[in-house]
Amino acid sequence: MVEFYKTFLFINYGLLSALIFIIFWKYTILNKIEKQYTYYIVFLFLIELCSFILPYLLESEDTSFLYHYFIAGEFLLLAGLFIRKLNLNKFFLIFSALLSMGFLFVIYGLKISFNYDLAKIVSNLIIICLVAVFLIQQIKNGKNIDRFILVDASIFFYYSVSVLIFVVLSQFVNLSTESVYLIMGVNNVLSTFLYCSILYTFLKLKKLP
């Protein structure tokens, strides 16, 4: 199971690296909201890069802090993206930013320790709800389908299944190492599908008239 986990982990490294190059190629043809996807991709790339460099090259023993910044940053970027796509009041953008900063403040300012997987589950659920509302709007519209609809659907699928994965990990603390690698390997497979959908969408993009 370790090999299964690592295989898709390194596939994802390759896909994210490819996406970084494509972003520089396609960035100028993106509108203001679509550029939010590039910030999300760059953020994921930096997190994965740090998670590789710190333990393997710098021999850092504790990289748990990356998980905290990942939860906060991922929520801020995706919640912000879909709040904008739904044309919601700016109050919701401010609220999502406060939630992200508040999460980090509780950890590093108040130094309160808790089950961070629960925070990830709540974050995912909020993202899922925002994406679901947007997808329903797209279905109702019928015409003028957003050109990132495949990515949005993939985000919805990925985060929906991820919720189940984190629920399992948080409830069954005595899982064997093999079981944990299997579950996280499945999560990596889902990430692969998500990154492939983003890559495919970017490759198909053409300049707006």
Side-chain angles (χ1 to χ4, degrees):
M1 290 305 165
V2 175
E3 292 303 316
F4 170 67
Y5 167 80
K6 287 186 175 180
T7 297
F8 281 94
L9 179 65
F10 284 102
I11 288 173
N12 290 340
Y13 286 161
L15 288 170
L16 281 172
S17 300
L19 281 168
I20 292 298
F21 284 106
I22 291 174
I23 283 171
F24 286 106
W25 175 30
K26 298 280 190 173
Y27 188 80
T28 56
I29 66 173
L30 301 174
N31 63 37
K32 186 177 180 180
I33 292 179
E34 289 172 346
K35 287 177 180 177
Q36 300 291 315
Y37 289 97
T38 67
Y39 307 148
Y40 170 63
I41 295 163
V42 170
F43 172 75
L44 291 179
F45 177 79
L46 292 175
I47 289 291
E48 293 291 359
L49 185 64
C50 289
S51 67
F52 178 78
I53 289 175
L54 289 176
Y56 296 110
L57 300 183
L58 300 182
E59 298 182 351
S60 175
E61 294 182 359
D62 184 15
T63 60
S64 60
F65 70 94
L66 288 174
Y67 187 46
H68 309 150
Y69 285 101
F70 171 67
I71 294 172
E74 177 189 54
F75 175 77
L76 180 63
L77 290 168
L78 285 180
L81 168 62
F82 285 97
I83 287 169
R84 290 183 176 91
K85 295 188 82 164
L86 289 166
N87 293 315
L88 297 179
N89 192 290
K90 288 185 178 180
F91 166 79
F92 291 98
L93 283 174
I94 296 170
F95 183 66
S96 64
L98 289 175
L99 279 178
S100 296
M101 290 186 291
F103 171 70
L104 293 176
F105 178 72
V106 167
I107 296 173
Y108 296 105
L110 302 179
K111 299 188 183 301
I112 297 175
S113 181
F114 57 96
N115 187 342
Y116 304 120
D117 284 342
L118 293 178
K120 185 72 171 72
I121 291 169
V122 173
S123 169
N124 280 16
L125 287 172
I126 295 173
I127 291 168
I128 290 165
C129 290
L130 289 170
V131 181
V133 173
F134 179 75
L135 291 174
I136 290 169
Q137 281 188 357
Q138 289 290 293
I139 293 170
K140 287 182 177 180
N141 287 339
K143 300 176 182 178
N144 300 320
I145 298 297
D146 191 285
R147 58 184 187 163
F148 275 80
I149 189 68
L150 175 61
V151 176
D152 296 339
S154 298
I155 288 173
F156 178 79
F157 177 71
Y158 171 74
Y159 285 92
S160 296
V161 180
S162 287
V163 166
L164 298 177
I165 289 173
F166 282 100
V167 166
V168 170
L169 289 176
S170 64
Q171 293 298 316
F172 299 98
V173 292
N174 294 321
L175 285 173
S176 66
T177 303
E178 285 291 303
S179 297
V180 171
Y181 273 115
L182 174 61
I183 293 170
M184 296 311 296
V186 170
N187 190 65
N188 283 343
V189 172
L190 295 172
S191 297
T192 300
F193 283 115
L194 174 60
Y195 299 155
C196 284
S197 72
I198 298 173
L199 185 64
Y200 175 76
T201 300
F202 268 93
L203 289 172
K204 281 187 63 181
L205 285 180
K206 295 180 180 179
K207 190 172 183 179
L208 292 169

